[in-house]
Amino acid sequence: MRAVSPEVLAELQKNPKNIRHICILAHVDHGKTTLADSLLASNGIISQKMAGKLRYMDSRKDEQERGITMKSSAVAVHYQKGDANYLINVIDSPGHVDFAGEVCTAVRLCDGAIILVDVVEGICPQTKVALQQAWLEHIKPLLVLNKIDRLILEWKLTPLDAYAHLAMILEQVNAIRGELFASDVLKKTDCAQQSEPQKESNSDQQVFDWNSGLDDSDDSTVYFSPEQGNIVFASALDGWGFGISHFAKIYASKLGAREELLKKTLWGDFYLNSKTKQIMKGAQAKAKRPLFVQFILENIWSIYDAVLIQRDKVTVDKMVKSLNLTISARDANHKDPKIGLQAIFGQWLPLSDAVLEMVCNFVPSPLELSNEKVEGLMCSSALKFDILAEESRNLKQDFLKCSPSDDAPVIVCISKMFPTERKMLPEFKQKPLTAEEITLRREKARQRQAEKLLENTSEKVKTEATSKSDIAVESEMNNTFIDDIEKDTAFIAFARVYSGCVKKGQQLYVLGPKHDPAKALKMNIPMSESITVHDLHPEQHITLATVKNLYLLMGKELIELDNAPAGNVIGIGGLQDHVLKSATLSSTIACPGFIDLHSSTVPIVRVALEPAHPREMSALVRGMRLLNQADPCVRVFLQETGEHVLVSAGEVHLQRCVDDLKERFAKIEINVSAPIVPFRETIIPPPTMDMVNEIIEKSQQKKTAKTENESDENQNGCICLRTPNKLCYLRIRAEPLPPEVTKLLEENATLLKLLEQTYNSRHSGETEDILTPESINSLQKLKTTLHELFKCAGPKWADALDNIWSFGPRRCGPNILLNSISTYKRPSLWSSKSTGFKADSPHFNYDSTFISGFQLATLCGPLCDEPMMGVCFVVEEWTFDRDSSVSDVADLEVSNPGESADGLCPKTDDNELVSDAISVASSGPSSASSTPFGPFTGQIMSTVKEACRKAFQVQPQRLMCAMYSCNIQVTTDMLGKSFKFFIINPLII
């Protein structure tokens, strides 16, 4: 087939009704890239004979060497179905677990997914992950049962046995889909029952509602079924594939049956009665061959047997004539029988036609986005859609309309930034020369030749000048080397246009992932193109950028576009300084940032990097910055020890990142350390027996020395500290958390973060009702479980649940800050209604400062600066000095001591304590220069951190080492060998 011209593809982009976006998901080595090659061959981009061998979408050198896909890349494919022309954007994604982040970026931009399953290997871990991601992103999944040829050539199954095996694989896939569907329905039903008011009933009569909601839910579109047409049976390597509808059309005329009837009976327990010529049910009970075996599989098996096994040319010719095929003499007489086999199947059952037809029939167009998917893109599933500002909620209709008009707001989702060589961009490619340009170049070449002849006649060599110039050139090269690296690499935004029309030269807002439209609409922030993402402060997430280039993605090739209407997947150039990893482009700041990707893996492998030559440190730093922008799953940061740390998802991912640094981004030699094993710091209850089984007496316990700012700890291990200005006093002790509580907090970090967000929203004057019923139910279950665990842990934890001040580190960790202060009754984290803060006590004003000190302490423990785990810090006393004189306030040189600069405390009354005035006044901006101790908020924060660390050190300290656990699955015939291996190596269990 001839290649489709870029002009035709650009014209197809204007009709969103006939546009489809699909991604190919599967486990590693299940045939994703081979399937993509077959689709590309149908458009003439590559040869049909090179499909499966070229691996066109794997453009990296290491991808070709390893034989696996490491990045997601897109290509536009044209397909004609009847009189309609379709533009299908196919995104090939990795199957290796280390590159799951690339899969997330592909799924975000698509409306459908092709799930490939190797029928020999069956359901693998990444197959389950692919099905789960498709469910979470609300995209339409389609199933391709691939590598059926292995059942013939490797397993040598009969058609009947192959049919039973295919039915088993299909049942396993549907079981996963059913599990996802059932869990979703049960969660919604449970939340609905929780939200409904309980009806009063007589005590003598109890009524139980056993309705789970599954019976009332529609599951007709949940499962894969051949009769529905959402399954393709294929062999991507041999280039063939088919759906039930293909053979239903063939046999409808031969058997004289209706096509709709054959679609329902070609798969299942149906057989053909040879006497009555009727299709009957009960093939298994009557030992008859099912229609799928008799009419489909046996024909495929016979072709493989004649071409590859028997190599009977006469039989092959008869089959070719019976199928009305035309095979060239070159293919028929080729020494490799695979060529003839592919030629036969390529005309009889072309894989690209079967897959693309299924995509056009089932995948929704950009005009058919569901409300659920749009709300999932604009707002987190844990929060209500109604909490968004009214201007933001109105944009939902623009998502659904997908209008390319100039009046519609521009909304673009950028899922990642991918690097490419600048010389590969269309605007830098060499164009054919005209006759005038050729003549001009010929004249310039003659002039250069004449100048070289003149230089050769003069033999004056200045050695001193040469040596000095070499030194100057070398220094200049060192200064410009890094700039050349950045000039050689260009970053392209991998994006989808949801509304409006993006044009070259258009100015748009770049909204970061943490962009909050409600706050942005209230703030008046000046915008300028000179402000980049690296210049933003923590509370600012908006920049202004100009779209410099637009590209149509064709694998490793890029085609330049002038504009891109809504409903298309494109590449955008010129955003390198405005987008770090992902972002949202919009013509209005009311557009919310797209929610974070649903990633199935997190970076866990840490290594420290250093250049082989110390003078190249600046090149390493800039190279790591470029790598962080190019890879959606990598993390880079600088530790307090000065080490540059790279965190990757696995060993293969780490090797790719190091190679990219050496060959592309830094272009220097790099030394890589051994993997850094993460630790956790914890405490345990004081032991009662020593190592020789003797009772430890309390008198033998060590006492900490008394210093200037601290007193001896009491019998409970409390630490008493004052701030440097002696105005604040606190007493803290550390207790080990029950192991069950620690495990529960670690497993529910997401809910703890949501709880903190709800608490802040409730007490900051914003709306209280921001959570969905599912989130409220999950938090209620967490609270109930935590209460039961505290109750089982002993009487000292009886009131711990309501006195929880904060979790840490990062406000969602497995450590607790407990409030036992008698004079400070802080509202509970679990309170459902807002309780207004009182303004007559400084405790409320410095509440967040106190929590920040706790967060810093739990993030870096005293043993080796690793996060703490399973520690509870109990605050028993927190007071402010009430004996300070009024003269101390005058020494602070504060013009208005009754009002804080940060607005934390209102004006003081005449009866207010002097100590409170001192505390508030010292928190103003003038306190840093008027006192030798700095701002009072900073003093409290550092004192709390130091007190927590000292309270931690009073208790018996331990380091917790990370343990790697995995599930090993083997087939039944390999169980004996696996048991033998574990018996020989018992230490690894």
Side-chain angles (χ1 to χ4, degrees):
M1 182 177 179
R2 293 183 179 180
V4 182
S5 64
E7 292 76 12
V8 175
L9 296 177
E11 188 65 26
L12 292 175
Q13 285 186 329
K14 299 178 181 179
N15 184 13
K17 183 180 179 181
N18 290 346
I19 295 178
R20 303 290 186 269
H21 304 300
I22 60 168
C23 56
I24 307 176
L25 308 178
H27 192 75
V28 64
D29 288 336
H30 277 207
K32 298 181 298 299
T33 307
T34 305
L35 174 62
D37 280 357
S38 298
L39 301 182
L40 295 176
S42 67
N43 274 225
I45 300 176
I46 63 174
S47 172
Q48 186 69 47
K49 297 180 181 179
M50 295 301 296
K53 302 175 184 178
L54 183 61
R55 300 177 63 87
Y56 180 82
M57 304 296 283
D58 294 345
S59 56
R60 293 173 56 96
K61 180 181 177 182
D62 48 2
E63 288 180 323
Q64 293 288 342
E65 292 176 351
R66 288 181 177 267
I68 61 174
T69 303
M70 297 184 181
K71 69 179 188 326
S72 56
S73 52
V75 64
V77 176
H78 167 257
Y79 177 69
Q80 185 174 4
K81 180 186 176 185
D83 297 333
N85 292 310
Y86 290 87
L87 176 65
I88 302 176
N89 291 299
V90 181
I91 303 179
D92 184 24
S93 62
H96 198 283
V97 65
D98 284 7
F99 307 103
E102 291 282 347
V103 179
C104 298
T105 62
V107 173
R108 170 53 56 89
L109 303 183
C110 295
D111 300 320
I114 298 177
I115 310 294
L116 259 74
V117 178
D118 187 340
V119 295
V120 172
E121 296 184 7
I123 306 299
C124 295
Q126 288 303 109
T127 309
K128 298 179 181 179
V129 172
L131 290 168
Q132 186 177 11
Q133 284 184 327
W135 182 270
L136 293 176
E137 291 287 346
H138 308 290
I139 63 177
K140 181 67 176 180
L142 304 173
L143 183 63
V144 175
L145 297 178
N146 193 25
K147 299 189 179 182
I148 297 181
D149 59 299
R150 295 183 64 186
L151 300 179
I152 307 173
L153 303 176
E154 295 182 16
W155 283 17
K156 302 186 183 302
L157 297 181
T158 63
L160 186 60
D161 293 338
Y163 167 75
H165 183 74
L166 293 175
M168 181 190 67
I169 296 294
L170 178 58
E171 184 178 355
Q172 293 175 356
V173 176
N174 282 331
I176 299 175
R177 291 282 297 174
E179 182 181 354
L180 295 171
F181 173 74
S183 60
D184 191 31
V185 172
L186 291 176
K187 184 185 297 184
K188 292 180 180 179
T189 304
D190 193 12
C191 295
Q193 293 176 353
Q194 293 284 343
S195 59
E196 290 181 359
Q198 297 182 356
K199 298 180 180 180
E200 297 182 0
S201 59
N202 298 330
S203 58
D204 298 337
Q205 184 180 4
Q206 294 183 354
V207 179
F208 297 95
D209 185 9
W210 300 103
N211 183 21
S212 62
L214 292 175
D215 296 335
D216 301 332
S217 302
D218 182 17
D219 60 350
S220 59
T221 59
V222 173
Y223 301 105
F224 299 107
S225 177
E227 54 266 24
Q228 292 182 5
N230 55 4
I231 296 180
V232 166
F233 303 89
S235 171
L237 188 62
D238 291 337
W240 61 266
F242 65 90
I244 292 297
S245 59
H246 177 79
F247 283 96
K249 295 178 182 177
I250 296 176
Y251 288 106
S253 58
K254 291 184 177 181
L255 299 178
R258 290 182 293 108
E259 184 177 338
E260 295 297 327
L261 177 62
L262 288 176
K263 287 182 180 180
K264 297 179 181 179
T265 57
L266 274 177
W267 176 268
D269 193 25
F270 299 94
Y271 72 98
L272 180 64
N273 191 326
S274 57
K275 296 181 179 179
T276 61
K277 301 298 181 180
Q278 293 182 349
I279 298 176
M280 311 291 290
K281 191 173 183 179
Q284 184 177 1
K286 298 182 179 180
K288 299 290 185 179
R289 293 175 300 170
L291 296 180
F292 189 80
V293 175
Q294 182 180 359
F295 292 155
I296 301 177
L297 292 186
E298 287 185 353
N299 293 329
I300 296 175
W301 256 246
S302 61
I303 293 178
Y304 270 91
D305 181 70
V307 176
L308 295 183
I309 300 176
Q310 301 296 334
R311 299 195 178 185
D312 188 351
K313 189 176 180 180
V314 177
T315 306
V316 172
D317 292 339
K318 292 181 179 179
M319 292 180 176
V320 170
K321 291 181 181 179
S322 63
L323 295 174
N324 295 325
L325 305 179
T326 303
I327 307 298
S328 64
R330 182 178 180 181
D331 293 338
N333 300 324
H334 202 281
K335 293 182 179 180
D336 187 3
K338 274 278 189 179
I339 301 298
L341 181 73
Q342 293 174 358
I344 295 173
F345 278 116
Q347 295 186 32
W348 182 38
L349 302 174
L351 174 61
S352 59
D353 290 349
V355 173
L356 295 180
E357 182 180 2
M358 178 175 64
V359 168
C360 295
N361 291 336
F362 288 92
V363 176
S365 69
L367 297 175
E368 299 171 345
L369 287 179
S370 63
N371 293 330
E372 190 176 20
K373 180 176 176 61
V374 173
E375 293 181 2
L377 291 173
M378 300 178 64
C379 181
S380 173
S381 59
L383 304 177
K384 286 185 176 181
F385 182 74
D386 297 335
I387 69 171
L388 296 176
E390 184 178 359
E391 295 89 340
S392 302
R393 293 198 302 268
N394 294 336
L395 293 177
K396 177 181 175 181
Q397 298 302 322
D398 296 304
F399 271 92
L400 298 175
K401 292 179 181 177
C402 192
S403 174
S405 64
D406 296 335
D407 297 334
V410 176
I411 302 176
V412 182
C413 173
I414 299 176
S415 64
K416 71 168 184 175
M417 302 287 289
F418 66 91
T420 184
E421 296 183 6
R422 194 173 295 273
K423 63 181 180 181
M424 296 297 295
L425 297 178
E427 56 266 26
F428 294 104
K429 284 188 177 181
Q430 188 175 5
K431 300 179 180 179
L433 299 177
T434 62
E436 296 178 356
E437 292 175 342
I438 294 175
T439 304
L440 182 61
R441 289 197 175 192
R442 186 182 295 113
E443 292 296 332
K444 290 182 179 180
R446 289 175 180 175
Q447 293 178 4
R448 288 194 300 267
Q449 186 68 20
E451 291 175 358
K452 288 183 179 180
L453 292 175
L454 292 175
E455 291 177 359
N456 292 334
T457 57
S458 59
E459 299 178 355
K460 298 180 180 180
V461 180
K462 300 178 181 180
T463 56
E464 295 182 0
T466 303
S467 61
K468 293 181 180 180
S469 63
D470 290 342
I471 296 173
V473 169
E474 183 179 357
S475 61
E476 185 179 356
M477 289 177 61
N478 291 334
N479 294 332
T480 59
F481 175 70
I482 301 173
D483 295 334
D484 292 340
I485 294 176
E486 294 188 354
K487 290 180 181 178
D488 292 341
T489 303
F491 281 85
I492 307 299
F494 192 34
R496 174 176 173 178
V497 185
Y498 280 94
S499 177
C501 183
V502 184
K503 302 176 182 178
K504 291 177 63 175
Q506 186 177 11
Q507 278 193 344
L508 296 173
Y509 294 108
V510 182
L511 313 177
K514 296 183 179 180
H515 167 66
D516 187 356
K519 295 181 179 178
L521 290 171
K522 298 177 182 177
M523 300 170 61
N524 187 13
I525 304 176
M527 297 293 173
S528 174
E529 285 193 60
S530 60
I531 301 177
T532 65
V533 68
H534 306 289
D535 302 329
L536 299 178
H537 58 77
E539 296 297 328
Q540 189 177 358
H541 308 286
I542 308 175
T543 61
L544 188 64
T546 301
V547 177
K548 295 182 180 179
N549 302 99
L550 296 174
Y551 304 104
L552 176 63
L553 304 176
M554 298 295 294
K556 57 185 177 182
E557 300 291 335
L558 299 174
I559 300 176
E560 195 168 9
L561 300 172
D562 293 329
N563 57 73
N568 289 280
V569 171
I570 58 172
I572 305 177
L575 302 178
Q576 179 173 351
D577 296 330
H578 298 274
V579 179
L580 185 59
K581 288 182 179 289
S582 62
T584 304
L585 288 183
S586 181
S587 57
T588 170
I589 60 174
C591 179
F594 287 90
I595 64 170
D596 294 336
L597 303 174
H598 299 285
S599 179
S600 59
T601 59
V602 293
I604 56 174
V605 180
R606 295 187 176 193
V607 294
L609 303 180
E610 64 177 9
H613 305 287
R615 58 185 171 85
E616 297 175 337
M617 178 60 74
S618 57
L620 175 63
V621 173
R622 294 198 183 186
M624 293 181 70
R625 178 174 59 83
L626 294 176
L627 175 65
N628 183 50
Q629 188 174 16
D631 196 317
C633 196
V634 77
R635 286 176 50 204
V636 296
F637 59 90
L638 179 65
Q639 284 189 335
E640 295 181 358
T641 57
E643 292 179 311
H644 294 274
V645 177
L646 170 67
V647 189
S648 61
E651 294 182 1
V652 180
H653 185 213
L654 174 63
Q655 185 62 43
R656 193 196 75 170
C657 293
V658 174
D659 292 341
D660 285 346
L661 282 174
K662 291 181 179 180
E663 301 172 2
R664 191 170 199 171
F665 299 128
K667 293 186 178 181
I668 60 174
E669 290 297 324
I670 299 174
N671 296 329
V672 184
S673 70
I676 303 174
V677 180
F679 291 91
R680 292 293 182 269
E681 302 183 19
T682 188
I683 58 177
I684 62 172
T688 56
M689 305 287 290
D690 58 11
M691 298 182 65
V692 292
N693 294 331
E694 294 184 358
I695 300 177
I696 301 177
E697 298 180 0
K698 294 184 178 180
S699 59
Q700 297 177 357
Q701 302 289 341
K702 294 183 179 180
K703 296 184 179 180
T704 57
K706 181 178 179 180
T707 61
E708 180 181 0
N709 293 333
E710 115 185 47
S711 61
D712 292 337
E713 72 275 5
N714 57 20
Q715 295 181 356
N716 294 329
C718 291
I719 293 296
C720 305
L721 287 181
R722 288 182 178 272
T723 54
N725 60 3
K726 311 294 183 179
L727 298 181
C728 178
Y729 171 83
L730 54 92
R731 186 168 76 246
I732 298 178
R733 60 183 172 88
E735 292 282 348
L737 278 176
E740 297 80 6
V741 175
T742 303
K743 183 179 180 181
L744 180 66
L745 297 180
E746 188 178 16
E747 293 174 350
N748 294 275
T750 305
L751 286 178
L752 296 181
K753 189 178 298 184
L754 188 63
L755 177 65
E756 182 74 20
Q757 181 180 355
T758 307
Y759 181 85
N760 294 335
S761 175
R762 184 184 303 127
H763 297 285
S764 62
E766 299 179 7
T767 177
E768 299 182 7
D769 191 15
I770 67 173
L771 298 180
T772 60
E774 293 84 354
S775 303
I776 296 175
N777 189 27
S778 300
L779 287 175
Q780 186 63 33
K781 288 182 179 179
L782 175 61
K783 179 181 178 181
T784 304
T785 307
L786 198 58
H787 175 70
E788 294 176 355
L789 293 179
F790 276 134
K791 186 177 180 180
C792 297
K796 68 177 182 178
W797 302 99
D799 300 331
L801 183 65
D802 294 331
N803 292 329
I804 294 178
W805 199 338
S806 179
F807 300 95
R810 299 183 179 91
R811 301 180 184 268
C812 60
N815 303 285
I816 292 179
L817 180 64
L818 214 59
N819 181 14
S820 295
I821 306 172
S822 58
T823 58
Y824 179 35
K825 299 301 180 183
R826 187 179 188 270
S828 174
L829 283 174
W830 312 94
S831 59
S832 58
K833 295 183 178 180
S834 175
T835 304
F837 285 139
K838 299 179 180 179
D840 57 352
S841 172
H843 294 87
F844 294 111
N845 300 328
Y846 301 110
D847 183 272
S848 60
T849 304
F850 199 101
I851 293 177
S852 298
F854 163 73
Q855 300 295 334
L856 292 175
T858 54
L859 184 61
C860 298
L863 293 179
C864 53
D865 288 338
E866 293 287 346
M868 296 183 186
M869 182 175 180
V871 184
C872 176
F873 292 100
V874 183
V875 185
E876 296 189 344
E877 188 176 355
W878 181 25
T879 60
F880 294 87
D881 192 359
R882 299 174 183 268
D883 298 329
S884 302
S885 61
V886 181
S887 59
D888 295 334
V889 182
D891 294 337
L892 295 177
E893 299 180 1
V894 180
S895 60
N896 187 7
E899 183 176 357
S900 173
D902 52 8
L904 293 176
C905 183
K907 295 182 179 180
T908 56
D909 298 330
D910 295 337
N911 298 329
E912 189 172 1
L913 298 175
V914 175
S915 60
D916 293 346
I918 296 174
S919 302
V920 176
S922 60
S923 65
S926 61
S927 61
S929 59
S930 60
T931 65
F933 307 111
F936 191 52
T937 54
Q939 296 180 45
I940 295 178
M941 190 183 305
S942 58
T943 305
V944 171
K945 175 185 175 182
E946 189 65 22
C948 291
R949 292 169 68 96
K950 290 183 178 297
F952 181 90
Q953 291 177 306
V954 169
Q955 304 296 331
Q957 309 166 62
R958 295 293 185 271
L959 273 180
M960 304 176 66
C961 184
M963 297 182 64
Y964 181 79
S965 62
C966 64
N967 297 325
I968 300 177
Q969 298 179 354
V970 297
T971 57
T972 54
D973 57 333
M974 297 297 293
L975 283 175
K977 295 182 179 180
S978 61
F979 285 137
K980 182 180 179 181
F981 173 79
F982 289 123
I983 292 174
I984 298 175
N985 304 276
L987 294 179
I988 66 174
I989 301 180

